[in-house]
Amino acid sequence: MAVFSRGFGGRARESAPDLPPGQFLTEDFPVLSAGPTPEIYTAEWSFSIRTETGAQHTWDWEQFRALPSELVSTDIHCVTRWSKLGTSWRGVSLDTLFEEVESSYDYVMAHSYGGYTTNLPLEDLLDGKAWIAYEFDGEDLDPEHGGPARLLVPHLYFWKSAKWVRGLVMMKDDEPGFWEQNGYHTYGDPWQEQRYW
Amino acid sequence: MTSHVDGNALAGSLSEIFRTDMTTAVCCCGGCGDTTTIATEMVYGTDALAHGSIVRCRSCDDVLITLVDTPERTVVRFPGITTLTVDRETPPA
Amino acid sequence: MTDWKVGTVTDTRTETPTGRSITISVDGWPGNLAGQHLDLRLTAPDGYQAVRSYSIASVGDGSTVELAVDRFPTGEVSPYLVDDVLPGDQLEVKGPLGRWFVWTPEDTRPIQLVAGGSGIVPLIAMARAHAMSGSTTAFRLLYSVRTPEDRFFADELASLESETFHVDYVYTRSTPADWPTPPRRVTRDVIEALTISAADAPGVFVCGPTGFVEAVARALVELGHDPQSVKTERFGG
Ligand SMILES: Cc1cc2nc3c(=O)[nH]c(=O)nc-3n(C[C@H](O)[C@H](O)[C@H](O)COP(=O)(O)OP(=O)(O)OC[C@H]3O[C@@H](n4cnc5c(N)ncnc54)[C@H](O)[C@@H]3O)c2cc1C
Ligand SMILES: [Zn+2]
């Protein structure tokens, strides 16, 4: 049995009616660090999608930025219990990036500069549900928030929105990524509170 | 933003899993071969807002140990360590 | 396996405009070595818990521990410890922890301590252990603080001065009146001038905010110290 510490309430936890269960509002944009922030120059940056045939679709920064982009306004939910409402991003829809990609596989592993990985079902990336985002609040995305570009899949817990993303690899079966191997839920739906295994 | 701390800071969390003070255990990095005590490796994510603690090699940044506490279990992985040497003399922490 | 133990705050003392020391009586505390830390756990009425690490300023046998905490303005735990906690309040601790960043009297090398801000905490435990044991090895402390008011344990450090213990202060923002140097950072030159030289092969303990510790450790190695003899404790931040 833990003893209670008189007068300790913890950080003010402001709940709001429209939040997923167990989430609290935050106004700032906390940075969760898992390692040194990788230094990525757009001149060296590329993004690719690889399929089961070995086919690789690759965009360098210029090609990527020439693609049509969308302004995205969305709420984000971090598994460490903060939610931030009405964030605004600019990015390229994964529908656009997958236009020419042929694959019969249903799962995707996202890979990042720095070695991070996270797994997602392909259908969660399509139909206007996910982007490769490169602007936040009208500014270039900060390296500490995943710049130059990060995955944005706001309907899942935010660890799925891999920072510093550099590519997607199609997978036949769902395999766990970095945090998913370490106790976090394979899917991560905030509305069903799928935090851990 | 909370930056990294020394492996020493994980003494408490590791003591919940091992019977001895693990910070003086010597580990060999599978990535670069660097061999040193856990106390001198780098630890990220010990702050309240982190997903879990990550021990990285002080010389090549490879992930050596990850430690996540969930309400029901503790998950520890050793993705980057080839050898872990624990002195038998080390009394409990 | 180390368990959580119940601690009762017995005393608090204001040390600086942003920090104070706290004495806690802990059921079953086995005593601790100089330089060790503990994990401290606070539980809110709704069951929410927060855990942080704190170095231990006290040393030796006995069931009380002394901590010293600097307030991190946007932090969750440190403002509670610095502003709110009162004698009689309860919290939980786990420890003593860590056997790496410790000094014991068997170590007869000269010892250089380098502290930034609240990084003094494990190092004053070493200075106390040194004085208590009657060790005759040379101890020297380089203590970096923003202003004279920001010194933790200032009176005690003054009283510890002896033939074998000496403190040098570096002020980064403002100095006492008629201080010989303007405010400055702990650069390589400052370290070279105010610490035991690498030629004397001292053991070195560096503690404080992560950025401070990294800069000092790098400078020490550049000045010829064996990286193996430089032990660090980063507080984060
Ligand atoms: C081995 C060790 C020994 C230590 N010894 C000492 C010591 O002797 N004395 C001492 O004073 N300190 C010591 N520390 C540091 C101490 O553990 C704490 O990190 C420090 O007290 C700050 O804790 P906090 O809860 O006040 O801040 P935290 O709440 O942890 O905040 C830290 C940072 O995270 C940000 N943050 C956290 N949650 C949120 C959120 N919800 N939204 C936005 N931002 C957020 C904060 O803004 C801040 O930048 C030690 C650390 C270690 C590793
Ligand atoms: Zn390595």
Side-chain angles (χ1 to χ4, degrees), chain A residues 30 32-36 79-80 82 144 179 181-182 184 196-197, chain B residues 1 44-45 49-52 54 56 61 66 68 70-71 73 75 77:
Chain A
L32 276 64
S33 102
V79 71
T80 62
W82 54 266
E144 47 175 43
W179 289 118
Q181 291 174 40
N182 282 294
Y184 285 90
Y196 310 105
W197 311 330
Chain B
M1 194 192 107
Y44 291 83
L49 271 183
H51 291 110
I54 300 183
R56 288 179 181 267
D61 280 343
T66 59
V68 171
T70 79
R73 52 183 71 86
V75 184
R77 300 185 73 245

PDB file of all heavy atoms in Angstrom, chain A residues 30 32-36 79-80 82 144 179 181-182 184 196-197, chain B residues 1 44-45 49-52 54 56 61 66 68 70-71 73 75 77:
ATOM      1  N   PRO A  30       4.896  18.754 -25.559  1.00  0.00           N
ATOM      2  CA  PRO A  30       6.008  18.082 -24.889  1.00  0.00           C
ATOM      3  C   PRO A  30       6.869  17.279 -25.865  1.00  0.00           C
ATOM      4  O   PRO A  30       6.365  16.762 -26.862  1.00  0.00           O
ATOM      5  CB  PRO A  30       5.302  17.136 -23.909  1.00  0.00           C
ATOM      6  CG  PRO A  30       3.923  17.673 -23.747  1.00  0.00           C
ATOM      7  CD  PRO A  30       3.592  18.320 -25.044  1.00  0.00           C
ATOM      8  N   LEU A  32       9.178  14.014 -26.139  1.00  0.00           N
ATOM      9  CA  LEU A  32       9.553  12.774 -25.475  1.00  0.00           C
ATOM     10  C   LEU A  32      10.838  12.282 -26.098  1.00  0.00           C
ATOM     11  O   LEU A  32      10.872  11.977 -27.281  1.00  0.00           O
ATOM     12  CB  LEU A  32       8.459  11.716 -25.663  1.00  0.00           C
ATOM     13  CG  LEU A  32       7.313  11.797 -24.666  1.00  0.00           C
ATOM     14  CD1 LEU A  32       6.544  13.074 -24.803  1.00  0.00           C
ATOM     15  CD2 LEU A  32       6.419  10.593 -24.814  1.00  0.00           C
ATOM     16  N   SER A  33      11.885  12.202 -25.282  1.00  0.00           N
ATOM     17  CA  SER A  33      13.136  11.815 -25.903  1.00  0.00           C
ATOM     18  C   SER A  33      13.450  10.359 -25.634  1.00  0.00           C
ATOM     19  O   SER A  33      13.262   9.847 -24.542  1.00  0.00           O
ATOM     20  CB  SER A  33      14.271  12.726 -25.430  1.00  0.00           C
ATOM     21  OG  SER A  33      15.036  12.073 -24.455  1.00  0.00           O
ATOM     22  N   ALA A  34      13.899   9.682 -26.680  1.00  0.00           N
ATOM     23  CA  ALA A  34      14.305   8.286 -26.567  1.00  0.00           C
ATOM     24  C   ALA A  34      15.754   8.136 -27.002  1.00  0.00           C
ATOM     25  O   ALA A  34      16.297   7.048 -27.018  1.00  0.00           O
ATOM     26  CB  ALA A  34      13.407   7.402 -27.422  1.00  0.00           C
ATOM     27  N   GLY A  35      16.350   9.259 -27.371  1.00  0.00           N
ATOM     28  CA  GLY A  35      17.733   9.214 -27.837  1.00  0.00           C
ATOM     29  C   GLY A  35      18.122  10.576 -28.351  1.00  0.00           C
ATOM     30  O   GLY A  35      17.336  11.514 -28.279  1.00  0.00           O
ATOM     31  N   PRO A  36      19.361  10.684 -28.830  1.00  0.00           N
ATOM     32  CA  PRO A  36      19.788  11.969 -29.372  1.00  0.00           C
ATOM     33  C   PRO A  36      18.940  12.331 -30.591  1.00  0.00           C
ATOM     34  O   PRO A  36      18.494  11.449 -31.312  1.00  0.00           O
ATOM     35  CB  PRO A  36      21.252  11.738 -29.770  1.00  0.00           C
ATOM     36  CG  PRO A  36      21.464  10.263 -29.750  1.00  0.00           C
ATOM     37  CD  PRO A  36      20.373   9.642 -28.961  1.00  0.00           C
ATOM     38  N   VAL A  79       0.306   8.528 -25.599  1.00  0.00           N
ATOM     39  CA  VAL A  79       0.014   7.442 -24.659  1.00  0.00           C
ATOM     40  C   VAL A  79       0.448   7.810 -23.236  1.00  0.00           C
ATOM     41  O   VAL A  79      -0.047   7.243 -22.268  1.00  0.00           O
ATOM     42  CB  VAL A  79       0.678   6.131 -25.140  1.00  0.00           C
ATOM     43  CG1 VAL A  79       2.185   6.203 -24.990  1.00  0.00           C
ATOM     44  CG2 VAL A  79       0.113   4.912 -24.422  1.00  0.00           C
ATOM     45  N   THR A  80       1.348   8.785 -23.091  1.00  0.00           N
ATOM     46  CA  THR A  80       1.731   9.229 -21.751  1.00  0.00           C
ATOM     47  C   THR A  80       0.690  10.194 -21.166  1.00  0.00           C
ATOM     48  O   THR A  80       0.954  10.889 -20.193  1.00  0.00           O
ATOM     49  CB  THR A  80       3.125   9.885 -21.740  1.00  0.00           C
ATOM     50  OG1 THR A  80       3.079  11.040 -22.580  1.00  0.00           O
ATOM     51  CG2 THR A  80       4.182   8.932 -22.250  1.00  0.00           C
ATOM     52  N   TRP A  82      -1.108  12.906 -22.338  1.00  0.00           N
ATOM     53  CA  TRP A  82      -1.497  14.257 -22.727  1.00  0.00           C
ATOM     54  C   TRP A  82      -2.147  14.218 -24.108  1.00  0.00           C
ATOM     55  O   TRP A  82      -1.808  13.402 -24.963  1.00  0.00           O
ATOM     56  CB  TRP A  82      -0.329  15.241 -22.706  1.00  0.00           C
ATOM     57  CG  TRP A  82       0.882  14.854 -23.503  1.00  0.00           C
ATOM     58  CD1 TRP A  82       1.987  14.198 -23.044  1.00  0.00           C
ATOM     59  CD2 TRP A  82       1.120  15.107 -24.895  1.00  0.00           C
ATOM     60  NE1 TRP A  82       2.884  14.021 -24.059  1.00  0.00           N
ATOM     61  CE2 TRP A  82       2.388  14.569 -25.202  1.00  0.00           C
ATOM     62  CE3 TRP A  82       0.396  15.744 -25.907  1.00  0.00           C
ATOM     63  CZ2 TRP A  82       2.945  14.641 -26.486  1.00  0.00           C
ATOM     64  CZ3 TRP A  82       0.960  15.812 -27.189  1.00  0.00           C
ATOM     65  CH2 TRP A  82       2.214  15.271 -27.456  1.00  0.00           C
ATOM     66  N   GLU A 144      13.349  18.463 -33.021  1.00  0.00           N
ATOM     67  CA  GLU A 144      12.944  17.714 -31.822  1.00  0.00           C
ATOM     68  C   GLU A 144      11.516  17.179 -31.904  1.00  0.00           C
ATOM     69  O   GLU A 144      11.142  16.270 -31.169  1.00  0.00           O
ATOM     70  CB  GLU A 144      13.181  18.472 -30.520  1.00  0.00           C
ATOM     71  CG  GLU A 144      12.737  19.888 -30.454  1.00  0.00           C
ATOM     72  CD  GLU A 144      12.959  20.429 -29.035  1.00  0.00           C
ATOM     73  OE1 GLU A 144      14.032  20.144 -28.452  1.00  0.00           O
ATOM     74  OE2 GLU A 144      12.053  21.110 -28.519  1.00  0.00           O
ATOM     75  N   TRP A 179       8.477   0.334 -29.762  1.00  0.00           N
ATOM     76  CA  TRP A 179       7.734   0.378 -28.487  1.00  0.00           C
ATOM     77  C   TRP A 179       6.778  -0.798 -28.368  1.00  0.00           C
ATOM     78  O   TRP A 179       6.479  -1.264 -27.263  1.00  0.00           O
ATOM     79  CB  TRP A 179       6.986   1.699 -28.313  1.00  0.00           C
ATOM     80  CG  TRP A 179       7.907   2.838 -28.049  1.00  0.00           C
ATOM     81  CD1 TRP A 179       8.088   3.950 -28.824  1.00  0.00           C
ATOM     82  CD2 TRP A 179       8.809   2.981 -26.934  1.00  0.00           C
ATOM     83  NE1 TRP A 179       9.038   4.762 -28.259  1.00  0.00           N
ATOM     84  CE2 TRP A 179       9.492   4.201 -27.111  1.00  0.00           C
ATOM     85  CE3 TRP A 179       9.105   2.199 -25.808  1.00  0.00           C
ATOM     86  CZ2 TRP A 179      10.451   4.654 -26.217  1.00  0.00           C
ATOM     87  CZ3 TRP A 179      10.052   2.649 -24.917  1.00  0.00           C
ATOM     88  CH2 TRP A 179      10.714   3.861 -25.120  1.00  0.00           C
ATOM     89  N   GLN A 181       7.357  -3.798 -29.173  1.00  0.00           N
ATOM     90  CA  GLN A 181       8.079  -4.935 -28.585  1.00  0.00           C
ATOM     91  C   GLN A 181       8.295  -4.745 -27.097  1.00  0.00           C
ATOM     92  O   GLN A 181       8.612  -5.673 -26.380  1.00  0.00           O
ATOM     93  CB  GLN A 181       9.464  -5.085 -29.230  1.00  0.00           C
ATOM     94  CG  GLN A 181       9.443  -5.530 -30.663  1.00  0.00           C
ATOM     95  CD  GLN A 181      10.848  -5.506 -31.270  1.00  0.00           C
ATOM     96  OE1 GLN A 181      11.809  -5.871 -30.607  1.00  0.00           O
ATOM     97  NE2 GLN A 181      10.943  -5.058 -32.496  1.00  0.00           N
ATOM     98  N   ASN A 182       8.171  -3.492 -26.663  1.00  0.00           N
ATOM     99  CA  ASN A 182       8.510  -3.159 -25.284  1.00  0.00           C
ATOM    100  C   ASN A 182       7.305  -2.992 -24.380  1.00  0.00           C
ATOM    101  O   ASN A 182       7.399  -2.337 -23.348  1.00  0.00           O
ATOM    102  CB  ASN A 182       9.327  -1.865 -25.269  1.00  0.00           C
ATOM    103  CG  ASN A 182      10.764  -2.109 -25.660  1.00  0.00           C
ATOM    104  OD1 ASN A 182      11.486  -2.771 -24.937  1.00  0.00           O
ATOM    105  ND2 ASN A 182      11.161  -1.621 -26.815  1.00  0.00           N
ATOM    106  N   TYR A 184       4.107  -1.819 -25.418  1.00  0.00           N
ATOM    107  CA  TYR A 184       3.010  -0.991 -25.921  1.00  0.00           C
ATOM    108  C   TYR A 184       2.144  -1.771 -26.913  1.00  0.00           C
ATOM    109  O   TYR A 184       2.615  -2.677 -27.607  1.00  0.00           O
ATOM    110  CB  TYR A 184       3.563   0.295 -26.551  1.00  0.00           C
ATOM    111  CG  TYR A 184       4.016   1.253 -25.473  1.00  0.00           C
ATOM    112  CD1 TYR A 184       5.323   1.226 -24.989  1.00  0.00           C
ATOM    113  CD2 TYR A 184       3.115   2.133 -24.901  1.00  0.00           C
ATOM    114  CE1 TYR A 184       5.720   2.073 -23.965  1.00  0.00           C
ATOM    115  CE2 TYR A 184       3.508   2.983 -23.883  1.00  0.00           C
ATOM    116  CZ  TYR A 184       4.806   2.948 -23.421  1.00  0.00           C
ATOM    117  OH  TYR A 184       5.184   3.783 -22.407  1.00  0.00           O
ATOM    118  N   TYR A 196      -1.204  -0.585 -23.607  1.00  0.00           N
ATOM    119  CA  TYR A 196      -0.204  -1.648 -23.455  1.00  0.00           C
ATOM    120  C   TYR A 196      -0.781  -2.971 -23.912  1.00  0.00           C
ATOM    121  O   TYR A 196      -1.967  -3.090 -24.167  1.00  0.00           O
ATOM    122  CB  TYR A 196       0.215  -1.767 -21.984  1.00  0.00           C
ATOM    123  CG  TYR A 196       0.587  -0.452 -21.357  1.00  0.00           C
ATOM    124  CD1 TYR A 196      -0.264   0.187 -20.460  1.00  0.00           C
ATOM    125  CD2 TYR A 196       1.787   0.175 -21.698  1.00  0.00           C
ATOM    126  CE1 TYR A 196       0.079   1.410 -19.893  1.00  0.00           C
ATOM    127  CE2 TYR A 196       2.138   1.383 -21.131  1.00  0.00           C
ATOM    128  CZ  TYR A 196       1.286   2.006 -20.230  1.00  0.00           C
ATOM    129  OH  TYR A 196       1.625   3.199 -19.670  1.00  0.00           O
ATOM    130  N   TRP A 197       0.112  -4.002 -24.013  1.00  0.00           N
ATOM    131  CA  TRP A 197      -0.377  -5.332 -24.358  1.00  0.00           C
ATOM    132  C   TRP A 197      -1.425  -5.749 -23.334  1.00  0.00           C
ATOM    133  O   TRP A 197      -1.253  -5.514 -22.154  1.00  0.00           O
ATOM    134  CB  TRP A 197       0.698  -6.413 -24.280  1.00  0.00           C
ATOM    135  CG  TRP A 197       1.983  -6.179 -24.934  1.00  0.00           C
ATOM    136  CD1 TRP A 197       2.261  -5.432 -26.054  1.00  0.00           C
ATOM    137  CD2 TRP A 197       3.225  -6.746 -24.514  1.00  0.00           C
ATOM    138  NE1 TRP A 197       3.590  -5.508 -26.347  1.00  0.00           N
ATOM    139  CE2 TRP A 197       4.214  -6.312 -25.414  1.00  0.00           C
ATOM    140  CE3 TRP A 197       3.598  -7.589 -23.457  1.00  0.00           C
ATOM    141  CZ2 TRP A 197       5.538  -6.687 -25.302  1.00  0.00           C
ATOM    142  CZ3 TRP A 197       4.913  -7.958 -23.342  1.00  0.00           C
ATOM    143  CH2 TRP A 197       5.872  -7.505 -24.257  1.00  0.00           C
TER     144      TRP A 197
ATOM    145  N   MET B   1      12.545  20.242 -21.709  1.00  0.00           N
ATOM    146  CA  MET B   1      12.985  18.954 -22.214  1.00  0.00           C
ATOM    147  C   MET B   1      14.003  18.360 -21.254  1.00  0.00           C
ATOM    148  O   MET B   1      14.878  19.031 -20.755  1.00  0.00           O
ATOM    149  CB  MET B   1      13.635  19.153 -23.585  1.00  0.00           C
ATOM    150  CG  MET B   1      13.808  17.842 -24.316  1.00  0.00           C
ATOM    151  SD  MET B   1      14.851  18.043 -25.744  1.00  0.00           S
ATOM    152  CE  MET B   1      16.326  17.243 -25.170  1.00  0.00           C
ATOM    153  N   TYR B  44      18.150   7.596 -21.596  1.00  0.00           N
ATOM    154  CA  TYR B  44      17.139   8.545 -22.053  1.00  0.00           C
ATOM    155  C   TYR B  44      15.786   8.128 -21.499  1.00  0.00           C
ATOM    156  O   TYR B  44      15.548   6.950 -21.238  1.00  0.00           O
ATOM    157  CB  TYR B  44      17.069   8.558 -23.584  1.00  0.00           C
ATOM    158  CG  TYR B  44      18.280   9.158 -24.223  1.00  0.00           C
ATOM    159  CD1 TYR B  44      19.431   8.400 -24.440  1.00  0.00           C
ATOM    160  CD2 TYR B  44      18.295  10.501 -24.598  1.00  0.00           C
ATOM    161  CE1 TYR B  44      20.555   8.965 -25.026  1.00  0.00           C
ATOM    162  CE2 TYR B  44      19.412  11.061 -25.188  1.00  0.00           C
ATOM    163  CZ  TYR B  44      20.536  10.295 -25.393  1.00  0.00           C
ATOM    164  OH  TYR B  44      21.636  10.863 -25.965  1.00  0.00           O
ATOM    165  N   GLY B  45      14.902   9.135 -21.379  1.00  0.00           N
ATOM    166  CA  GLY B  45      13.516   8.797 -21.057  1.00  0.00           C
ATOM    167  C   GLY B  45      13.274   8.410 -19.622  1.00  0.00           C
ATOM    168  O   GLY B  45      12.407   7.604 -19.335  1.00  0.00           O
ATOM    169  N   LEU B  49       7.393  12.071 -18.623  1.00  0.00           N
ATOM    170  CA  LEU B  49       6.661  12.041 -19.876  1.00  0.00           C
ATOM    171  C   LEU B  49       7.199  11.037 -20.888  1.00  0.00           C
ATOM    172  O   LEU B  49       6.771  11.040 -22.016  1.00  0.00           O
ATOM    173  CB  LEU B  49       6.715  13.428 -20.514  1.00  0.00           C
ATOM    174  CG  LEU B  49       5.590  14.333 -20.074  1.00  0.00           C
ATOM    175  CD1 LEU B  49       5.683  15.645 -20.806  1.00  0.00           C
ATOM    176  CD2 LEU B  49       4.260  13.665 -20.353  1.00  0.00           C
ATOM    177  N   ALA B  50       8.116  10.177 -20.488  1.00  0.00           N
ATOM    178  CA  ALA B  50       8.719   9.281 -21.469  1.00  0.00           C
ATOM    179  C   ALA B  50       7.916   7.998 -21.610  1.00  0.00           C
ATOM    180  O   ALA B  50       7.137   7.633 -20.748  1.00  0.00           O
ATOM    181  CB  ALA B  50      10.141   8.966 -21.060  1.00  0.00           C
ATOM    182  N   HIS B  51       8.122   7.315 -22.729  1.00  0.00           N
ATOM    183  CA  HIS B  51       7.472   6.017 -22.920  1.00  0.00           C
ATOM    184  C   HIS B  51       8.128   4.942 -22.063  1.00  0.00           C
ATOM    185  O   HIS B  51       7.510   3.954 -21.715  1.00  0.00           O
ATOM    186  CB  HIS B  51       7.590   5.584 -24.384  1.00  0.00           C
ATOM    187  CG  HIS B  51       6.777   6.418 -25.310  1.00  0.00           C
ATOM    188  ND1 HIS B  51       7.341   7.287 -26.216  1.00  0.00           N
ATOM    189  CD2 HIS B  51       5.443   6.515 -25.476  1.00  0.00           C
ATOM    190  CE1 HIS B  51       6.373   7.877 -26.907  1.00  0.00           C
ATOM    191  NE2 HIS B  51       5.221   7.433 -26.481  1.00  0.00           N
ATOM    192  N   GLY B  52       9.412   5.125 -21.811  1.00  0.00           N
ATOM    193  CA  GLY B  52      10.154   4.137 -21.051  1.00  0.00           C
ATOM    194  C   GLY B  52      11.615   4.541 -21.067  1.00  0.00           C
ATOM    195  O   GLY B  52      11.992   5.499 -21.734  1.00  0.00           O
ATOM    196  N   ILE B  54      15.561   4.113 -21.918  1.00  0.00           N
ATOM    197  CA  ILE B  54      16.378   3.521 -22.961  1.00  0.00           C
ATOM    198  C   ILE B  54      17.839   3.749 -22.619  1.00  0.00           C
ATOM    199  O   ILE B  54      18.277   4.893 -22.470  1.00  0.00           O
ATOM    200  CB  ILE B  54      16.076   4.163 -24.324  1.00  0.00           C
ATOM    201  CG1 ILE B  54      14.597   3.939 -24.657  1.00  0.00           C
ATOM    202  CG2 ILE B  54      16.973   3.597 -25.403  1.00  0.00           C
ATOM    203  CD1 ILE B  54      14.225   4.458 -26.005  1.00  0.00           C
ATOM    204  N   ARG B  56      21.526   3.659 -23.878  1.00  0.00           N
ATOM    205  CA  ARG B  56      22.256   3.642 -25.150  1.00  0.00           C
ATOM    206  C   ARG B  56      23.752   3.575 -24.901  1.00  0.00           C
ATOM    207  O   ARG B  56      24.249   4.095 -23.905  1.00  0.00           O
ATOM    208  CB  ARG B  56      21.941   4.904 -25.965  1.00  0.00           C
ATOM    209  CG  ARG B  56      20.548   4.897 -26.548  1.00  0.00           C
ATOM    210  CD  ARG B  56      20.289   6.172 -27.319  1.00  0.00           C
ATOM    211  NE  ARG B  56      18.941   6.190 -27.866  1.00  0.00           N
ATOM    212  CZ  ARG B  56      18.632   5.764 -29.101  1.00  0.00           C
ATOM    213  NH1 ARG B  56      19.575   5.332 -29.915  1.00  0.00           N
ATOM    214  NH2 ARG B  56      17.382   5.801 -29.513  1.00  0.00           N
ATOM    215  N   ASP B  61      25.789   5.030 -29.493  1.00  0.00           N
ATOM    216  CA  ASP B  61      24.354   5.365 -29.415  1.00  0.00           C
ATOM    217  C   ASP B  61      23.404   4.191 -29.629  1.00  0.00           C
ATOM    218  O   ASP B  61      22.188   4.359 -29.571  1.00  0.00           O
ATOM    219  CB  ASP B  61      23.958   6.465 -30.433  1.00  0.00           C
ATOM    220  CG  ASP B  61      24.320   7.855 -29.974  1.00  0.00           C
ATOM    221  OD1 ASP B  61      24.580   8.029 -28.768  1.00  0.00           O
ATOM    222  OD2 ASP B  61      24.354   8.763 -30.828  1.00  0.00           O
ATOM    223  N   THR B  66      16.165  -1.640 -22.938  1.00  0.00           N
ATOM    224  CA  THR B  66      14.957  -0.835 -22.810  1.00  0.00           C
ATOM    225  C   THR B  66      14.158  -1.370 -21.633  1.00  0.00           C
ATOM    226  O   THR B  66      14.186  -2.556 -21.341  1.00  0.00           O
ATOM    227  CB  THR B  66      14.070  -0.905 -24.065  1.00  0.00           C
ATOM    228  OG1 THR B  66      13.711  -2.264 -24.290  1.00  0.00           O
ATOM    229  CG2 THR B  66      14.774  -0.349 -25.277  1.00  0.00           C
ATOM    230  N   VAL B  68      10.340  -0.771 -19.785  1.00  0.00           N
ATOM    231  CA  VAL B  68       9.029  -0.125 -19.772  1.00  0.00           C
ATOM    232  C   VAL B  68       8.206  -0.695 -18.630  1.00  0.00           C
ATOM    233  O   VAL B  68       8.083  -1.911 -18.487  1.00  0.00           O
ATOM    234  CB  VAL B  68       8.288  -0.339 -21.114  1.00  0.00           C
ATOM    235  CG1 VAL B  68       6.847   0.153 -21.009  1.00  0.00           C
ATOM    236  CG2 VAL B  68       9.011   0.371 -22.253  1.00  0.00           C
ATOM    237  N   THR B  70       4.523  -1.013 -17.303  1.00  0.00           N
ATOM    238  CA  THR B  70       3.106  -0.849 -17.591  1.00  0.00           C
ATOM    239  C   THR B  70       2.371  -1.203 -16.299  1.00  0.00           C
ATOM    240  O   THR B  70       2.991  -1.700 -15.363  1.00  0.00           O
ATOM    241  CB  THR B  70       2.657  -1.774 -18.741  1.00  0.00           C
ATOM    242  OG1 THR B  70       2.463  -3.097 -18.240  1.00  0.00           O
ATOM    243  CG2 THR B  70       3.674  -1.795 -19.869  1.00  0.00           C
ATOM    244  N   PRO B  71       1.072  -0.923 -16.230  1.00  0.00           N
ATOM    245  CA  PRO B  71       0.389  -1.208 -14.956  1.00  0.00           C
ATOM    246  C   PRO B  71       0.488  -2.679 -14.566  1.00  0.00           C
ATOM    247  O   PRO B  71       0.473  -3.006 -13.384  1.00  0.00           O
ATOM    248  CB  PRO B  71      -1.064  -0.821 -15.252  1.00  0.00           C
ATOM    249  CG  PRO B  71      -0.986   0.155 -16.369  1.00  0.00           C
ATOM    250  CD  PRO B  71       0.196  -0.246 -17.193  1.00  0.00           C
ATOM    251  N   ARG B  73       2.912  -5.089 -15.935  1.00  0.00           N
ATOM    252  CA  ARG B  73       4.183  -5.791 -16.061  1.00  0.00           C
ATOM    253  C   ARG B  73       5.322  -4.811 -16.315  1.00  0.00           C
ATOM    254  O   ARG B  73       5.093  -3.652 -16.664  1.00  0.00           O
ATOM    255  CB  ARG B  73       4.125  -6.817 -17.197  1.00  0.00           C
ATOM    256  CG  ARG B  73       3.653  -6.261 -18.517  1.00  0.00           C
ATOM    257  CD  ARG B  73       3.551  -7.344 -19.576  1.00  0.00           C
ATOM    258  NE  ARG B  73       2.451  -8.264 -19.331  1.00  0.00           N
ATOM    259  CZ  ARG B  73       1.189  -8.053 -19.727  1.00  0.00           C
ATOM    260  NH1 ARG B  73       0.886  -6.963 -20.403  1.00  0.00           N
ATOM    261  NH2 ARG B  73       0.244  -8.905 -19.451  1.00  0.00           N
ATOM    262  N   VAL B  75       8.595  -4.650 -18.786  1.00  0.00           N
ATOM    263  CA  VAL B  75       9.181  -5.298 -19.954  1.00  0.00           C
ATOM    264  C   VAL B  75      10.613  -4.778 -20.110  1.00  0.00           C
ATOM    265  O   VAL B  75      10.824  -3.577 -20.256  1.00  0.00           O
ATOM    266  CB  VAL B  75       8.368  -4.994 -21.226  1.00  0.00           C
ATOM    267  CG1 VAL B  75       8.944  -5.750 -22.420  1.00  0.00           C
ATOM    268  CG2 VAL B  75       6.899  -5.355 -21.021  1.00  0.00           C
ATOM    269  N   ARG B  77      14.193  -5.346 -22.300  1.00  0.00           N
ATOM    270  CA  ARG B  77      14.816  -5.994 -23.451  1.00  0.00           C
ATOM    271  C   ARG B  77      16.286  -5.595 -23.496  1.00  0.00           C
ATOM    272  O   ARG B  77      16.673  -4.525 -23.029  1.00  0.00           O
ATOM    273  CB  ARG B  77      14.130  -5.597 -24.764  1.00  0.00           C
ATOM    274  CG  ARG B  77      12.655  -5.968 -24.788  1.00  0.00           C
ATOM    275  CD  ARG B  77      12.012  -5.688 -26.123  1.00  0.00           C
ATOM    276  NE  ARG B  77      12.437  -6.653 -27.129  1.00  0.00           N
ATOM    277  CZ  ARG B  77      13.145  -6.381 -28.215  1.00  0.00           C
ATOM    278  NH1 ARG B  77      13.516  -5.136 -28.465  1.00  0.00           N
ATOM    279  NH2 ARG B  77      13.470  -7.333 -29.046  1.00  0.00           N
TER     280      ARG B  77
END
